Amino acid sequence: MLLPLYTTLALLFLLIPIAYTFVFSFNDSVKSNISWRGFTFDNWTGVCNAQDVCEAFGNSILIAFVATVAATTLGTMIAIALVRYRFRFRSSISLLLFLPMATPEVVLGAGLAAQFLGAGVQKGLGTIIIAHTMFCISFVVVTVKARVSSIDPALEEAGRDLYGSPAQVFWRITFPLLLPGIVAAALLSFALSFDDFIITNFNSGAATTFPKFVYVAASRGIPAEANVIASAVFVLAITLVITTQVTSTLRARRLAAKS
C-alpha cells in the first residue's frame, strides 16, 4: 500500500529541479539568478539578452543534429550488417560496440582529446561533432539492432520474389519496417548529444555549448535566460511525447474499430 506513496514522493523529488528552473525563468534577476527578486516576462521576450546564451544553444542544436544524422546513418548500417550477414570478427565487433556505453565519460573524453592532440587537430565544433558521433553510434546500433532482429526475413524475400531490385526491397519493405527503431535511435542520440558536458568539455576547445555555458555560468549565477531555454526545451519535449502518445492511441482505436 505504501508503493504509490513512495512513487509519488520520488516523482515529486525528481520534479523539484525542473520546477525551480521553470519558476526562476520568470525571476527579475540582475547579475545572478539565485534569489527571487520579482516576477517578469522580460526573460522570455528577450531570451538572447544574456551574453552568449543563444550562441551556445545554437551550437548545441547544430552539433546534436549533425552528430545524430551521422551516428544514425552509420549505426543503422552497422546494425543491419551485424544481424543479417555473417563475417569474420562479427562477435568481436558486437562486443566492441558496447565499450563506449560502458566506458566512463571521463575516460572516453580524455582518450578522444588525446587522439585529437596527437593528430594535431584543432579543437572546436568539428571535434565535438566527431566525439559525439563516436559515442552515439553504440546507442544507435543497440536500438536498431533490436528492431532488425524482430523483422521476418520472409517479407524481404517476398519482395525479391516479386522481382524487386535490392534498392526497391530496402526502401519499400525494409526501411519502413525499420523506421520506428531508427527514429527512436535518432531521438536518443540527439538527447545524448545535446545534454553531454564531460566529453564536450574535453574536446571543445574555445567552442561553447549550452551545457558548457550553464556549467561556467553556475559559478556566478546562471542567468534567467538560460532557465528560459531549459524550460522551453522541457515543455517542447513533453509536448512531443504527449502528442505521440495521443496519436498512437487514436490510431490504435481506429484500427480496432475497423477490424
Side-chain angles (χ1 to χ4, degrees):
M1 295 180 63
L2 294 178
L3 182 59
L5 176 62
Y6 291 151
T7 304
T8 302
L9 292 176
L11 182 61
L12 291 176
F13 179 77
L14 293 174
L15 290 177
I16 288 175
I18 299 175
Y20 175 90
T21 300
F22 184 77
V23 170
F24 273 76
S25 68
F26 298 97
N27 185 26
D28 188 15
S29 60
V30 180
K31 292 184 178 180
S32 65
N33 194 30
I34 299 176
S35 58
W36 182 261
R37 292 174 52 89
F39 184 88
T40 181
F41 280 110
D42 292 343
N43 301 324
W44 284 82
T45 57
V47 66
C48 292
N49 290 339
Q51 187 177 4
D52 298 332
V53 64
C54 283
E55 180 183 355
F57 179 72
N59 287 341
S60 289
I61 293 294
L62 174 63
I63 292 167
F65 177 79
V66 177
T68 296
V69 171
T72 304
T73 302
L74 295 173
T76 299
M77 292 189 293
I78 294 172
I80 294 174
L82 290 175
V83 175
R84 293 295 175 85
Y85 300 96
R86 299 292 182 266
F87 50 89
R88 294 182 62 184
F89 308 115
R90 175 172 170 269
S91 300
S92 301
I93 293 175
S94 297
L95 178 61
L96 290 174
L97 284 169
F98 283 94
L99 289 182
M101 301 173 63
T103 303
E105 289 194 356
V106 173
V107 177
L108 188 59
L112 288 170
Q115 287 187 337
F116 290 134
L117 181 63
V121 178
Q122 184 69 31
K123 293 181 180 179
L125 293 180
T127 54
I128 300 175
I129 291 173
I130 294 173
H132 285 199
T133 302
M134 293 297 293
F135 78 80
C136 284
I137 285 179
S138 297
F139 294 93
V140 174
V141 171
V142 172
T143 305
V144 179
K145 186 179 177 181
R147 183 65 180 177
V148 177
S149 301
S150 66
I151 296 177
D152 188 357
L155 297 174
E156 296 167 298
E157 293 176 3
R160 288 189 288 268
D161 289 341
L162 294 173
Y163 304 102
S165 65
Q168 290 175 326
V169 171
F170 177 80
W171 289 112
R172 296 188 179 185
I173 299 177
T174 308
F175 183 76
L177 293 174
L178 291 179
L179 190 58
I182 294 174
V183 171
L187 293 175
L188 178 60
S189 297
F190 188 90
L192 290 171
S193 176
F194 181 85
D195 187 56
D196 182 78
F197 167 74
I198 298 177
I199 296 176
T200 301
N201 196 42
F202 275 101
N203 299 279
S204 59
T208 301
T209 63
F210 188 68
K212 187 177 177 181
F213 172 85
V214 171
Y215 177 80
V216 174
S219 60
R220 60 180 183 275
I222 300 174
E225 289 80 1
N227 288 34
V228 171
I229 292 177
S231 301
V233 171
F234 176 77
V235 171
L236 177 61
I238 292 297
T239 302
L240 289 175
V241 171
I242 294 176
T243 302
T244 302
Q245 291 294 330
V246 171
T247 303
S248 300
T249 302
L250 293 176
R251 185 184 298 113
R253 289 180 178 177
R254 287 197 299 267
L255 292 175
K258 291 180 180 180
S259 59

